[in-house]
Amino acid sequence: VWFHVDGLSSAHVYFRLNNVATVSSIPIDDLPPDSVADMMQICKHNSISGCKLASCKMVYTPHSNLKKTFDMESGAVTYHDTKMCRYARCEKDRPRIRELEKTKSADIQVDYYQEMKDNE
């Protein structure tokens, strides 16, 4: 599931789900609320403009719903189906960001392309 600050430049944050039978079965409305909140905090914190705001609008959608064409700028995406997008407000939560920063690990190597192929 892909997370982004709506309408602002920000990090593209992906929440990987294990044991999802098909992309169309991603339980976008059944994601754990705490995990959604964490992904939104990470995304907001890594946005140049969003991190300065007390609150901002976030969007999240299954990664398969992202649409990228050759004429788009780097980092820009749109959606195949806007009905699959979910929106929520994210309030700045400095204590939670500090907790999340402590869990960061640079030594984990993941082959994202292979994981995507394995889940198709």
Side-chain angles (χ1 to χ4, degrees):
V1 178
W2 175 84
F3 289 79
H4 197 268
V5 176
D6 195 36
L8 297 174
S9 174
S10 77
H12 295 208
V13 175
Y14 291 86
F15 181 49
R16 293 183 300 162
L17 301 170
N18 293 327
N19 304 321
V20 175
T22 64
V23 171
S24 62
S25 70
I26 291 175
I28 192 81
D29 293 317
D30 298 330
L31 296 174
D34 289 344
S35 296
V36 170
D38 287 349
M39 297 300 106
M40 291 193 302
Q41 285 295 327
I42 292 168
C43 195
K44 181 182 182 321
H45 180 69
N46 287 288
S47 168
I48 294 169
S49 301
C51 70
K52 298 173 186 171
L53 303 172
S55 171
C56 62
K57 185 177 177 183
M58 307 292 296
V59 59
Y60 58 101
T61 189
H63 70 89
S64 61
N65 190 36
L66 298 177
K67 181 179 178 182
K68 178 76 173 177
T69 58
F70 290 107
D71 59 336
M72 298 174 102
E73 290 189 30
S74 177
V77 296
T78 188
Y79 314 107
H80 291 288
D81 182 1
T82 56
K83 292 177 186 171
M84 292 179 72
C85 295
R86 300 296 181 267
Y87 298 89
R89 298 250 12 125
C90 181
E91 307 293 329
K92 187 178 281 189
D93 185 350
R94 285 191 180 108
R96 185 64 190 138
I97 286 295
R98 281 193 289 273
E99 290 175 28
L100 291 168
E101 287 287 325
K102 290 177 185 175
T103 66
K104 202 188 276 190
S105 178
D107 61 343
I108 297 174
Q109 298 296 320
V110 178
D111 185 349
Y112 296 109
Y113 183 76
Q114 186 59 47
E115 281 196 9
M116 182 184 73
K117 289 295 181 191
D118 292 345
N119 288 326
E120 287 182 342

